[in-house]
Amino acid sequence: MASECGAEGMVKTEDAIEEQYGNVCEGGSPAGCAQESRTDSEIPVSNGGETVEDKEMVDLKIIWNKNKYDLKISLDGTGANLKEKINSLTGLPPAMQKVMYKGLLPEDKTLREIKVTNGAKIMVVGSTINDVLAVNTPKEVVQQEVKAEENKKEPLCQQKQHRKVLDKGKPEDIMPSLKGIKERLPTVPLSGMYNKSGGKVRLTFKLEQDQLWIGTKERTEKIPMGSIKNVVTEPIEGHEDYYMMAFQLGPTEASQYWVYWVPAQYVDAIKDTVLGKWQYF
């Protein structure tokens, strides 16, 4: 009876061990089963299920932005895996990396296929997001500062260079103006206006020749309309039915030719004519 109980207890013990470890013990020995389980648990396992002993590793020298990094990686890792490792070293996102080893390193091939050797130098080109922001931010700041500075500028009519002409008052022979009205260009020259030196000036629009004639007492300048870069206008403070107007004849504001006391009803027609929208009436 005792023998039967002993045998039955042994069977239960073996069943319990098998249920716990889920495999058949080598040689039917509970001790062997436990030993086998401990051995398996001590073996390091990678994310891919491969043991460290199964991987052939290489030491690489990563060179990026004048910095050097040492990296150990499996030869069976892909170029994409290498980019992830580089990201962990440098903070450079994989999408912003250009990895060079005998040319541009392909992401879908293993380092073994690419024939990467132990001690190889891997060149990396790219900028981190912070670097990109650091480059762009100053430009944005400068643009904001310029815009703020422009907003601070006093109106053109208040600037000294213009005041010395406007303070002479409205010319006696200036053409009549119509505030709030838009009219086509007249068939005769616009006359009786001042230029920035305070001399009399007239504007003649030669549409058939695509020219603007700017005439003074001394001479007449014949300017191709296509060469005029911009037309700047601003109503004259206190006399909003007349405008001051500048024709930009070169690439910078220094080349602006100013005309004062332009009748308001012709301002839009002048801009359209000079900048390409001819008025055929």
Side-chain angles (χ1 to χ4, degrees), residues 137-169:
T137 301
K139 184 186 293 185
E140 294 173 358
V141 170
V142 168
Q143 291 174 345
Q144 292 173 358
E145 289 177 350
V146 169
K147 188 173 182 180
E149 189 64 29
E150 289 177 348
N151 292 335
K152 289 180 183 178
K153 284 184 178 180
E154 56 187 346
L156 293 172
C157 291
Q158 298 298 324
Q159 294 179 17
K160 184 177 180 180
Q161 60 172 325
H162 302 303
R163 285 272 24 125
K164 66 182 182 180
V165 178
L166 295 175
D167 286 347
K168 293 179 64 174

Side-chain angles (χ1 to χ4, degrees), residues 184 207-208 273 277-281:
R184 70 191 74 180
L207 301 184
E208 67 282 0
T273 299
K277 298 179 181 179
W278 283 16
Q279 307 291 317
Y280 289 105
F281 297 104

Side-chain angles (χ1 to χ4, degrees), residues 8 18 37 85 97 114 125 140 162 180 183 221 244:
E8 184 179 352
E18 182 176 343
S37 175
K85 294 288 187 182
Q97 297 177 22
I114 304 168
V125 179
E140 294 173 358
H162 302 303
E183 290 192 356
E221 297 285 349
M244 49 191 293

Side-chain angles (χ1 to χ4, degrees), residues 85-234:
K85 294 288 187 182
I86 293 172
N87 176 35
S88 65
L89 288 174
T90 65
L92 183 62
M96 302 180 73
Q97 297 177 22
K98 282 189 178 180
V99 181
M100 311 295 292
Y101 177 73
K102 298 180 180 179
L104 189 63
L105 186 138
E107 292 190 6
D108 56 343
K109 291 188 177 182
T110 67
L111 304 187
R112 189 185 301 276
E113 291 174 319
I114 304 168
K115 300 185 184 330
V116 174
T117 58
N118 197 52
K121 292 182 179 180
I122 306 295
M123 304 296 296
V124 180
V125 179
S127 299
T128 65
I129 294 175
N130 288 337
D131 290 336
V132 173
L133 292 176
V135 170
N136 290 338
T137 301
K139 184 186 293 185
E140 294 173 358
V141 170
V142 168
Q143 291 174 345
Q144 292 173 358
E145 289 177 350
V146 169
K147 188 173 182 180
E149 189 64 29
E150 289 177 348
N151 292 335
K152 289 180 183 178
K153 284 184 178 180
E154 56 187 346
L156 293 172
C157 291
Q158 298 298 324
Q159 294 179 17
K160 184 177 180 180
Q161 60 172 325
H162 302 303
R163 285 272 24 125
K164 66 182 182 180
V165 178
L166 295 175
D167 286 347
K168 293 179 64 174
K170 184 164 55 176
E172 294 181 359
D173 57 346
I174 191 67
M175 297 178 68
S177 64
L178 296 171
K179 185 178 179 181
I181 301 296
K182 296 181 181 180
E183 290 192 356
R184 70 191 74 180
L185 288 175
T187 56
V188 297
L190 296 178
S191 59
M193 300 169 291
Y194 290 140
N195 59 20
K196 65 178 180 180
S197 63
K200 286 294 186 67
V201 64
R202 64 183 178 275
L203 302 177
T204 306
F205 296 89
K206 296 288 186 178
L207 301 184
E208 67 282 0
Q209 300 175 38
D210 192 25
Q211 291 179 345
L212 167 63
W213 290 10
I214 301 178
T216 62
K217 184 178 179 180
E218 293 79 19
R219 62 181 180 276
T220 298
E221 297 285 349
K222 299 180 179 181
I223 303 168
M225 291 188 194
S227 68
I228 300 175
K229 308 301 181 183
N230 196 16
V231 179
V232 179
T233 62
E234 183 180 293

Side-chain angles (χ1 to χ4, degrees), residues 32-64:
C33 185
Q35 179 65 36
E36 182 179 348
S37 175
R38 284 195 301 271
T39 304
D40 287 344
S41 65
E42 291 170 0
I43 296 176
V45 179
S46 70
N47 291 334
E50 296 178 296
T51 64
V52 173
E53 289 83 1
D54 291 335
K55 292 184 177 181
E56 184 178 352
M57 310 294 286
V58 286
D59 292 312
L60 304 178
K61 183 75 71 176
I62 307 299
I63 303 173
W64 170 69

